[in-house]
Amino acid sequence: MHLLLVHSLIFSFGLARAAITAYGPHVQSPLGTTTAASASYTGAASYDQTILTAPAPPNPPPPTQFGVELQIGGNLSGLSIQQEGSFFGFSIEFSVTTQVLGLNSSFLQVPFLNLMANLRERGGSIKVRVGGNTQETATLVASTPDGAALEKDYGGSSNPTATPPLVFTNEIIKMMAEISALTDVYWYMGVPFNDTQNWRLQIAEVGEAMLGSYLIGLQAGNEPDLYSRHGHRPNSYSPQDYHNEFGLLIGAMNADSNIPNKNLLIGPNLAGVWSLPDIWQTGFATDFNQNLAALGVERYPTDNCYAQFGIGTERTGQEMFPSFLTHQAGIDIVNEFPGAAAYAQSVGKPFIMSETNTASCGGFPGLSDSFGAALWGIDYALQLAYSNFSTVLFHVGGQSVYYNPFTPPVRNQSTFHQWTIGPIYYSALVVAEALGSSNIAQVLDLQANGGNDYTPGYAIYENGQPVRVALTNFITDPSGNSNYTASISIGGTVPAQVQVKYLLADSVSQTYNFTWAGQTFGGPFTSDGRLVGTLDIQTIPCDQVNNVCQVEVPAPGFALVFLTDNALAESDQSSTMTFSTSTYTNLHGPTMTIDPSVLATSNGEKGLADALAGTSQGRQMSNALGLAQALPSLVAVIAGALMVGRLALVR
């Protein structure tokens, strides 16, 4: 497993406060509770080999030729609010942070850095939540008995998902600060809500001090409408009770001089037992308006809790699969929040989906890790953007779930296995490119092909002009008879040509080895977080006489059409600055590899002008962090190369 040791050194030759990236051994705890033998993998949900049967093409089939007319000008109706390129982010269960992010602030997971760097290059920045059920019982301590940054008390597990209480040190937040300095990740965290008489506010105190402006929200209560079901509140617990407890939290924060920013709270974070109008009627959004950074909800389209925990309704991935392969799937989730986005705007707050994925309780084997899930994730996210949500965060849960966007290997396989990249990460990459980095993108649901459920399309506008078109084909048909051609026309005239990137697989039931513009993250245990393969961007000539560009979309597949060269450049700004240094436990094996292109572009922003490290002047995180702590530098990669012979190596 690739791990980055970010460490500050003082050099005797006068470099008084320079950061250096070095490498050294560590002990890694397993992600979740999987204990596969080091010689062979015995199986965990994250690597399940189930392959479903793709649904048959619909009968009657949708039209395979249709027009897409794009209007221009200032009188457009139906456009979304302006969306940021960081719209599609991630929610990482608190209990697995030391496996996904890194061991501590000295050891960062290089694949995770690379995955974030990919998105930063396309969307400008990334939003990540560290929370979930485990945030509710997390306690910040000065140290742990074995020196780890995070420990779990499995004996105190609660909830149907067997959530263990946590203790953690400020190394977790330091680690987040280091990641932000390298990749512009902005963070959501959560204030523990399990003891409202003795608030544990240290996470807010230390979070604000160490993360500064990179801390953009503090969730107050994770799914409070499930508290009584999980035994954490009396059966009578109500929206008014949550409102009252939220008020107590604000009172405690106002009395805490170590929390300078009092307006970062996010609520109500409902799971769906209560309705949002129930919360609004308590005066929640108006009474606490000045303390709220956003209004948030959490929602999964279904659950697989019966298979995992023997509760709820029994479902299988095969029977649920067709319901994910339609445009209506995303619309149905939005329809669970009628008027909510408009209400949020009326009180001056963004409306966010703070946790979601294919199915709660871990997802479904063969569905959550399929190409169909990647297409669903794209259409769902764009539907949320069109419906004026401001952010969507897809959950990362550990080895025991099927839906992870990315999964590190278990400890005792880290010497010969790398990371596994799931379909939802491909969705994130696509949506980041669709929205671009301008932060003024507006989304329009085209109701393409007469509103057909299997062939949805969206247009992305900037300053009243269409810049990109997103086209999906949910159908699997090896014969090619379900491929469709969208004839795109633009008010005025079309360009001489358009450029197209395709997300492709042979079937919606395929797992792994999808390609995005010819590149892939490969199969299980094969990725260091960087795309591999030759970039393939198709150039399609347009008919300017008839004002039409004809774009074919395979069955299944997704096409992102760039209507201008600037639209392509904004979404994919040349090669991504990534982290390629490799380390190993075997001291007689490879020592260190450094990509020459990384060395050539390791000090600046966008090439020489956009390094991922934080040495550039003007990029500040928090006055509470010293320069050497807060701004680790990629210059250290060069210094590390010079010190290869003196470093112990880890993988």
Side-chain angles (χ1 to χ4, degrees):
M1 182 179 300
H2 299 299
L3 293 171
L4 178 65
L5 170 55
V6 183
H7 184 63
S8 299
L9 297 179
I10 298 178
F11 290 99
S12 60
F13 49 83
L15 193 56
R17 293 198 301 175
I20 183 167
T21 304
Y23 296 79
H26 74 289
V27 176
Q28 182 191 349
S29 300
L31 179 63
T33 58
T34 301
T35 56
S38 60
S40 63
Y41 185 72
T42 59
S46 295
Y47 317 108
D48 191 278
Q49 300 299 304
T50 299
I51 302 293
L52 302 181
T53 300
N59 187 20
T64 56
Q65 297 272 349
F66 58 89
V68 174
E69 298 182 8
L70 305 178
Q71 303 301 314
I72 61 174
N75 296 322
L76 293 167
S77 61
L79 294 179
S80 74
I81 60 174
Q82 292 184 349
Q83 300 288 6
E84 298 177 349
S86 58
F87 177 85
F88 193 126
F90 305 104
S91 164
I92 299 174
E93 189 65 42
F94 203 140
S95 60
V96 301
T97 51
T98 50
Q99 311 312 312
V100 176
L101 305 184
L103 186 67
N104 52 42
S105 66
S106 295
F107 294 90
L108 307 182
Q109 286 277 21
V110 168
F112 181 78
L113 294 177
N114 286 338
L115 293 168
M116 297 302 101
N118 297 333
L119 295 170
R120 181 213 180 197
E121 198 68 23
R122 290 159 172 81
S125 63
I126 313 99
K127 296 173 186 172
V128 177
R129 168 192 180 230
V130 172
N133 286 331
T134 47
Q135 80 184 28
E136 299 286 54
T137 55
T139 301
L140 180 61
V141 295
S143 63
T144 60
D146 65 359
L150 182 148
E151 291 187 349
K152 309 166 193 176
D153 176 14
Y154 288 103
S157 296
S158 61
N159 289 354
T161 53
T163 303
L166 304 177
V167 292
F168 68 101
T169 73
N170 63 10
E171 279 296 307
I172 295 292
I173 301 176
K174 284 184 182 179
M175 175 169 58
M176 295 162 62
E178 301 285 5
I179 291 169
S180 294
L182 292 168
T183 59
D184 279 343
V185 172
Y186 289 80
W187 304 94
Y188 300 100
M189 299 190 76
V191 177
F193 220 72
N194 67 322
D195 185 352
T196 58
Q197 300 303 312
N198 301 283
W199 294 101
R200 300 191 303 284
L201 301 179
Q202 296 91 337
I203 195 168
E205 297 169 351
V206 178
E208 290 194 20
M210 290 188 171
L211 295 174
S213 61
Y214 282 108
L215 179 63
I216 56 174
L218 290 167
Q219 192 178 34
N222 182 69
E223 301 176 334
D225 48 339
L226 293 179
Y227 283 170
S228 61
R229 290 189 181 184
H230 294 168
H232 302 320
R233 297 291 194 280
N235 290 335
S236 60
Y237 190 72
S238 69
Q240 186 62 53
D241 292 322
Y242 172 71
H243 171 283
N244 296 344
E245 291 179 347
F246 200 94
L248 292 175
L249 172 61
I250 290 173
M253 292 179 67
N254 286 340
D256 190 336
S257 61
N258 293 320
I259 305 177
N261 191 349
K262 317 288 188 182
N263 60 354
L264 291 177
L265 295 179
I266 298 174
N269 315 308
L270 302 184
V273 177
W274 299 340
S275 73
L276 285 175
D278 292 337
I279 293 289
W280 306 153
Q281 289 171 10
T282 69
F284 177 84
T286 51
D287 292 350
F288 307 131
N289 190 273
Q290 64 181 1
N291 301 100
L292 285 165
L295 299 176
V297 292
E298 304 180 15
R299 195 59 46 90
Y300 293 76
T302 186
D303 71 81
N304 193 23
C305 296
Y306 185 89
Q308 296 293 322
F309 307 106
I311 59 175
T313 302
E314 184 175 7
R315 301 179 176 92
T316 68
Q318 187 64 64
E319 71 176 286
M320 298 301 298
F321 203 16
S323 67
F324 282 81
L325 301 174
T326 70
H327 185 47
Q328 190 64 38
I331 294 173
D332 285 344
I333 298 176
V334 170
N335 286 344
E336 294 187 40
F337 309 100
Y343 178 78
Q345 292 176 57
S346 74
V347 295
K349 302 300 175 185
F351 188 53
I352 69 174
M353 180 69 74
S354 53
E355 181 181 321
T356 192
N357 213 304
T358 51
S360 61
C361 296
F364 293 98
L367 188 162
S368 299
D369 52 357
S370 71
F371 183 65
L375 297 180
W376 168 82
I378 294 168
D379 189 69
Y380 172 32
L382 290 176
Q383 184 63 212
L384 290 175
Y386 166 67
S387 303
N388 295 330
F389 284 71
S390 293
T391 298
V392 58
L393 305 175
F394 283 77
H395 202 51
V396 180
Q399 295 281 347
S400 61
V401 305
Y402 302 100
Y403 56 51
N404 283 338
F406 36 78
T407 308
V410 294
R411 177 187 61 186
N412 53 2
Q413 296 186 3
S414 63
T415 57
F416 58 92
H417 280 155
Q418 296 194 76
W419 282 41
T420 301
I421 309 305
I424 292 299
Y425 183 79
Y426 287 86
S427 306
L429 209 62
V430 168
V431 172
E433 290 200 31
L435 297 177
S437 57
S438 70
N439 294 333
I440 59 170
Q442 293 178 278
V443 182
L444 178 66
D445 186 341
L446 296 169
Q447 294 298 309
N449 203 7
N452 188 275
D453 227 12
Y454 300 98
T455 59
Y458 297 87
I460 313 301
Y461 281 78
E462 294 178 0
N463 298 315
Q465 301 294 318
V467 292
R468 300 174 202 90
V469 178
L471 301 168
T472 299
N473 191 338
F474 281 117
I475 302 169
T476 293
D477 186 355
S479 73
N481 292 334
S482 298
N483 296 359
Y484 71 75
T485 299
S487 300
I488 301 172
S489 60
I490 303 175
T493 185
V494 296
Q497 63 185 29
V498 294
Q499 293 174 294
V500 183
K501 287 187 174 184
Y502 287 99
L503 181 67
L504 297 175
D506 292 335
S507 168
V508 291
S509 64
Q510 180 177 323
T511 57
Y512 310 117
N513 294 301
F514 322 132
T515 60
W516 172 235
Q519 298 181 308
T520 184
F521 294 102
F525 310 115
T526 61
S527 181
D528 67 357
R530 294 180 293 175
L531 285 161
V532 297
T534 302
L535 182 66
D536 181 17
I537 303 176
Q538 300 288 315
T539 299
I540 298 177
C542 298
D543 181 350
Q544 291 185 302
V545 174
N546 293 304
N547 189 31
V548 65
C549 303
Q550 295 190 333
V551 177
E552 185 177 18
V553 184
F558 170 87
L560 183 59
V561 185
F562 299 89
L563 301 177
T564 69
D565 291 341
N566 286 339
L568 177 61
E570 177 198 315
S571 291
D572 191 356
Q573 303 173 28
S574 68
S575 59
T576 302
M577 170 72 76
T578 53
F579 302 80
S580 61
T581 303
S582 300
T583 54
Y584 300 84
T585 50
N586 52 314
L587 297 180
H588 301 290
T591 54
M592 181 176 290
T593 62
I594 300 177
D595 188 329
S597 66
V598 173
L599 289 176
T601 60
S602 63
N603 187 22
E605 304 240 343
K606 297 234 173 5
L608 287 176
D610 195 11
L612 290 178
T615 53
S616 302
Q617 288 186 354
R619 181 171 293 172
Q620 306 243 343
M621 293 179 52
S622 170
N623 291 334
L625 277 180
L627 178 64
Q629 283 182 303
L631 302 176
S633 174
L634 282 182
V635 174
V637 174
I638 303 173
L642 298 176
M643 299 173 63
V644 161
R646 306 178 66 180
L647 296 176
L649 300 169
V650 206
R651 184 180 176 186

